[in-house]
Amino acid sequence: MDIYLKNTATGAKERFAPLDDGNVRMYVCGPTVYDRAHLGNARPVVVFDVLYRLLRHVYGETSVTYVRNFTDVDDKINARATETGRAIGDITNETIGWFHDDMDALGALRPTHAPRATRYIPQMVAMIEGLMAKGHAYAAEGHVLFDVGSDPTYGSLSGRSVDDMIAGARVEVAPYKKNPMDFVLWKPSTRDLPGWDSPWGRGRPGWHIECSAMAADLLGETFDIHGGGNDLMFPHHENEIAQSRCCGHGFAQVWLHNEMLQVEGKKMSKSLGNFFTVRDLLDQGVPGEVIRFVFLSTHYRKPMDWTIEKSVEAELRLHGFIERIALSGDISKAKGLPIEEEVLIALADDLNTHAALEVLLRMNGSEDANRLARHLVFFGFFDWEELEDRVSRHLKAVSDLSNFADELAKVRNLAMETKDFSEVDRLKALMSDAGIEVRMSKTTVELVPGPDFDPAKLEALK
Ligand code: AMP
Ligand code: ZN
C-alpha cells in the first residue's frame, strides 16, 4: 500500500518511500515541560499518533521507530521554578507524568522513545564542537552561535530568504552576534541556573540543538519523517535542519506540519479566557475519545476549530457506536477482522482522517457491528480492553434501566391505589437527574437514556 504525504520541504504530495522498510523512523517535537498540556499541544500528538498507527499497519508493528522528545531545559521552566520555589526536577518530572496521562487518555500510543533533552547534553556538546570545527559556529562571550551566513541553504524549509525571516520574526539582537539571525547553540548559566560543564564554560544548550542531537542518536543521521506544529517551522525546524545538515547529516526526508487549534473560531489564548488544558476537559467529563474524534474530523493541515457543538456531536456518535456493538457485536470475533481498504486509502492520502471517519460513520449504519468495533480500535478511540469495558457497562446500564422501570411500575401501581404519588415523583426526579427520560402510559413505564445519561449516576440510585 502506498502512502502519500505532503512534504513541507517540497510543497508537494509525495509517495512515501522509507529509507528502510524494516525500520521506518519518525521524529516529532514534543512539549516543553513546565505546565499541563493545553488542548493545542494535543493536536500534533493525535495527528502523529494516527500516522504512527498507519505506518505500523503498513510496515509492521515492530518496523516503526517513533521518537517524541521532552524539552526539560528551558527558561520557562527556570522561571516556573523561581516563581514556585520548587526544584526544576520536580516540576519537569511531574509535568512529564501529566503529559503521559493526558495523552494516554486521548488514545495516543506511547512513542518508542520519549527522550528528555537533559539526558543528551554530551551529544549536543559534541555536535556543537563539530559545527565549530567546520566553521558553522563561533564562540562569543560564553555563548556559541550558529553562523547562518555559513549555510547557503538556510531557510529552505519555509522557502523564505534570510531578510524576510529577519523581518517576520522577533530575532534577538545581541552585540556578540555576527548576524541577527545567528541563533544560540549554547549559553552561559549563572550559578542559580541549570548548567553543565562544556568547552565554553558552565552553561546550557539553546533550544534547537536538542532535537538534532536526539534524532541523530535515536534514529540515525538520516531518517524518514519529522513532524510538529506549524508554529515550529520557523525558526525551530529551520535551525534543526541547519545544524544537522552542516554536521553532514541527511536529517529528515519528509516534513509534516499540523495547523493550529482554535477555540470557537478564535485563537486560544489566556487573555481571551478561552484557554484550557486537556485535563480541564477530561475533568469536565469530556471523554478522551470524544476529543480525539473532534480532532480527526478536521484534516491536520487545516486550522482546527474546537467547539462545544462538535464535542457534543462526537459524544453522541461514539455513544451510538457503543450501543450498536453492545446490541449486535462480538468483540472476540471483531479482533481478527481486516481494516477496510477504503479507510486505509483515505489515511494514506496525506492522512485524510475526515474521509476515514466518514467510512466509519457509514459502517455504523451497516449490518456488521464487528467491523465497526475493529475500526474503533484501529482509529485509537479505544483499545480492546476499553471497548469491552464500555460495551459491558452499556449492557449493564440497559439491564439496570429495565430493572428500574419494573420497580417504578410497581411503585406507580401502588400509588394509583393509595393516591399518594410522592414516591413516584421522587423516583422520577432522580431519573431525570441521571439523564433518563421517563415515559409513562397507563399500562407501561419506559426509561429512555438521554444524551446526558451517565450510567455512574444510575449506580448511585441503587
Ligand atoms: P510547545 O510546548 O509550545 O513547544 O508545543 C508543543 C507542541 O504543540 C508543538 O508541536 C507545537 O507546534 C504544538 N502546538 C502548540 N500550540 C498549538 C496549537 N494551538 N495548535 C496546534 N498545535 C500547537
Ligand atoms: Zn524540535
Side-chain angles (χ1 to χ4, degrees), residues 19 25-27 215 219-226 251-253:
L19 297 158
R25 289 159 289 164
M26 171 163 81
Y27 188 96
L219 296 177
E221 294 180 358
T222 304
F223 57 94
D224 299 296
I225 299 172
H226 193 312
F251 210 48
Q253 306 300 293

Side-chain angles (χ1 to χ4, degrees), residues 27-30 69 207-208 210-212 226-227 232 236-237 240:
Y27 188 96
V28 174
C29 296
N69 69 300
W207 168 32
H208 317 292
E210 67 178 69
C211 290
S212 287
H226 193 312
L232 299 184
H236 184 54
H237 290 161
E240 284 186 24

Side-chain angles (χ1 to χ4, degrees), residues 124-146:
M124 294 187 227
V125 168
M127 228 174 158
I128 297 170
E129 285 182 303
L131 287 169
M132 290 180 81
K134 290 186 167 151
H136 290 295
Y138 57 94
E141 296 182 26
H143 292 70
V144 181
L145 292 136
F146 184 89

Side-chain angles (χ1 to χ4, degrees), residues 29-32 38 40-41 43-44 228-232 258-261:
C29 296
T32 304
H38 62 68
N41 296 139
R43 191 171 191 203
N230 247 353
D231 55 330
L232 299 184
N258 64 274
E259 253 290 354
M260 295 291 102
L261 175 129

Side-chain angles (χ1 to χ4, degrees), residues 210-405:
E210 67 178 69
C211 290
S212 287
M214 288 187 280
D217 196 89
L218 292 164
L219 296 177
E221 294 180 358
T222 304
F223 57 94
D224 299 296
I225 299 172
H226 193 312
N230 247 353
D231 55 330
L232 299 184
M233 206 188 300
F234 177 80
H236 184 54
H237 290 161
E238 291 289 6
N239 294 356
E240 284 186 24
I241 292 174
Q243 294 158 164
S244 294
R245 294 264 167 91
C246 288
C247 279
H249 300 178
F251 210 48
Q253 306 300 293
V254 181
W255 284 84
L256 301 179
H257 290 96
N258 64 274
E259 253 290 354
M260 295 291 102
L261 175 129
Q262 309 172 334
V263 176
E264 308 281 350
K266 298 202 181 79
K267 183 176 184 250
M268 182 161 75
S269 84
K270 284 196 169 137
S271 60
L272 287 175
N274 63 358
F275 179 95
F276 47 87
T277 66
V278 173
R279 182 52 50 183
D280 290 335
L281 279 184
L282 295 170
D283 285 349
Q284 285 159 24
V286 180
E289 66 271 15
V290 168
I291 301 175
R292 190 176 179 94
F293 193 100
V294 174
F295 277 18
L296 297 190
S297 63
T298 299
H299 190 256
Y300 75 95
R301 279 192 291 106
K302 293 197 179 126
M304 135 104 226
D305 197 21
W306 173 268
T307 66
I308 307 255
E309 197 188 333
K310 284 187 189 172
S311 133
V312 168
E313 193 192 316
E315 188 152 10
L316 282 173
R317 298 274 197 202
L318 284 157
H319 181 79
F321 293 159
I322 297 290
E323 207 164 32
R324 172 152 196 93
I325 295 164
L327 205 72
S328 58
D330 175 348
I331 288 188
S332 64
K333 291 205 179 109
K335 283 183 180 167
L337 292 176
I339 304 303
E340 239 24 59
E341 193 69 12
E342 218 185 335
V343 168
L344 292 172
I345 289 172
L347 292 179
D349 178 16
D350 195 29
L351 296 186
N352 191 343
T353 50
H354 179 83
L357 277 187
E358 298 275 293
V359 183
L360 195 70
L361 291 173
R362 261 183 276 136
M363 242 177 244
N364 194 29
S366 73
E367 290 301 300
D368 192 353
N370 292 343
R371 270 166 69 218
L372 182 62
R374 175 70 191 93
H375 287 79
L376 287 181
V377 171
F378 178 67
F379 277 89
F381 293 122
F382 308 100
D383 62 24
W384 287 113
E385 211 177 309
E386 282 163 348
L387 186 61
E388 255 165 281
D389 182 55
R390 292 301 160 98
V391 166
S392 66
R393 267 164 46 201
H394 181 85
L395 289 171
K396 174 140 192 322
V398 169
S399 109
D400 284 353
L401 273 182
S402 120
N403 292 340
F404 273 116

